[in-house]
Amino acid sequence: MLAFRAQAMADADQELAADVPASAPGMVVLAPEPAVESLAAEGVRVWLSNPLDAFSQEHQSAYPDFPAGRPGMSVAVDASDAVLVQEGSPPDGAMAELEEFERHELEADWLLYLRR
């Protein structure tokens, strides 16, 4: 299954799959689709990925709240050591307000928030 996922990744996602583990080694990473698939294919410990129904109802509900920047994303953020977002996105705005995370710039318009 991971081999199939890896073939479907865009070049930008593959760059992130190299940058994120270097910036957050061994950390649990929360990331949006499809970047999370690239990270999982590269062996990064991701908070949640497809198939969503393999996870608890609480986690299934929190994951869609993350890309929307809704308050329910806090369940996912609280369980993560690092959070990958696109600059200017709704979750970027929510993450910028959290003092326990430090913002790091990656490739293109991607940011990685690392727990302090």
Side-chain angles (χ1 to χ4, degrees):
M1 179 171 225
L2 286 181
F4 173 75
R5 288 179 179 176
Q7 291 173 352
M9 299 304 132
D11 289 340
D13 289 340
Q14 290 180 358
E15 287 178 22
L16 284 174
D19 289 347
V20 170
S23 299
M27 295 182 176
V28 174
V29 178
L30 172 61
E33 292 285 349
V36 70
E37 298 296 331
S38 297
L39 298 176
E42 290 297 318
V44 173
R45 293 178 55 202
V46 296
W47 179 75
L48 189 140
S49 182
N50 279 323
L52 294 181
D53 60 354
F55 300 91
S56 72
Q57 185 62 42
E58 179 184 34
H59 291 173
Q60 288 180 43
S61 298
Y63 192 68
D65 285 341
F66 167 59
R70 292 189 296 256
M73 74 181 255
S74 65
V75 170
V77 172
D78 290 348
S80 302
D81 303 308
V83 180
L84 181 68
V85 299
Q86 287 189 284
E87 189 170 13
S89 67
D92 177 26
M95 291 303 300
E97 296 177 7
L98 300 178
E99 293 181 9
E100 63 266 29
F101 285 87
E102 183 176 340
R103 177 183 157 163
H104 297 268
E105 294 183 9
L106 299 178
E107 296 291 323
D109 61 345
W110 288 97
L111 303 172
L112 186 63
Y113 284 89
L114 297 174
R115 192 174 296 279
R116 295 178 196 261

